[in-house]
Each structure stands twice: as C-alpha cells, then as structure tokens.
Amino acid sequence: MNSHKITTRKQLQGYGATTYQARVLTQSLSPVATQGKTYTYEITGVIASIREYLQRPRIKLVTCQKLESVLEALLNQLGNIIAIPFGKSSDLEISRLAKNLIQSMAKTDQALAELKATAATIKGKYVELSPD
C-alpha cells in the first residue's frame, strides 16, 4: 500500500456500513488511487466524514452504532499511539524495555488492523454477491 492509509467502499461495507452509507461517507472525498476498478480513499478523510455524519440531528441509533464500529475499525487501522512518559523513571533499563514493548505492541496492533481491513474487504465483496 501507499504511505497513506487507504480504504475502499467495499471495505467500509465489510466493517458494517451499508452500501448507501459507504457511498455517502466517501461522496465528498476525492479518491487518491484505484485498486483495479475500485476507488481508494484516505482513512483520515473517511474518519472526518464519519464524525461529521454522526453530528446530524436526525440520525437513528442503529446507524450511529454501525458508524461507531466502522470508525473504531478505521482508527485501529491508523495505529496512532499515545506516548507514555517512561523516560522519567530512574531505571533506564526499565524505560528502554518499556519503550521496546510499546513499539512491539504497536506493530502487532498494526498487523492485526491490516488483517481486519483485508477481511472487511473480502466480506464487503461477498455481501454484494449474496441475495437479500
């Protein structure tokens, strides 16, 4: 993938959004690339779009819950880390080990998020094919 984290409408559907919601959330965004015949969008733009959509006054509870789960999945895919001040410890060895542990956990979380993104893409493709 690119240095930018990207997602597709099918992936959003795999995370739980409806076809309509995936289209509305990405409608105002410019695609950054294509994967085959599918447009890809920056995750940060989709996150902002979801947060803006959730501010609507007449949104239903079920829709809100679905979009919250999609938002959580996208945030996990970004892999943002909150720094913990281990450097203030008097034992430098513990500080170094704690920093290594956090970095390893972040890599593991990132790999898990990427696997979930792949699973969501596959799920989104099969949701479209299944008769309702």
Side-chain angles (χ1 to χ4, degrees):
M1 285 193 185
N2 300 346
S3 61
H4 301 284
K5 298 293 181 177
I6 55 174
T7 189
T8 63
R9 288 180 179 176
K10 292 291 180 203
Q11 200 171 54
L12 294 175
Q13 291 173 19
Y15 285 136
T18 64
T19 305
Y20 170 78
Q21 291 165 346
R23 186 170 29 89
V24 168
L25 292 173
T26 57
Q27 196 168 22
S28 63
L29 303 175
S30 299
V32 292
T34 57
Q35 287 180 345
K37 296 180 182 179
T38 306
Y39 289 122
T40 59
Y41 304 92
E42 284 194 44
I43 288 181
T44 53
V46 177
I47 288 172
S49 183
I50 291 172
R51 287 181 174 155
E52 182 179 316
Y53 193 88
L54 288 172
Q55 297 302 314
R56 294 182 178 184
R58 297 180 68 191
I59 192 170
K60 292 184 179 180
L61 181 60
V62 175
T63 302
C64 184
Q65 291 171 342
K66 283 183 179 182
L67 292 180
E68 287 289 339
S69 68
V70 172
L71 180 64
E72 182 179 336
L74 292 176
L75 288 172
N76 286 337
Q77 197 171 347
L78 279 180
N80 291 340
I81 301 173
I82 299 173
I84 301 175
F86 285 110
K88 296 184 180 181
S89 173
S90 60
D91 189 358
L92 296 177
E93 181 66 17
I94 291 175
S95 298
R96 186 184 62 75
L97 291 173
K99 184 177 179 181
N100 288 342
L101 174 66
I102 289 174
Q103 289 174 346
S104 296
M105 288 174 50
K107 288 179 184 177
T108 303
D109 290 344
Q110 182 64 33
L112 180 62
E114 289 175 8
L115 287 172
K116 286 182 180 180
T118 303
T121 301
I122 293 169
K123 184 178 176 183
K125 288 180 183 178
Y126 285 109
V127 167
E128 178 184 277
L129 298 176
S130 65
D132 287 329

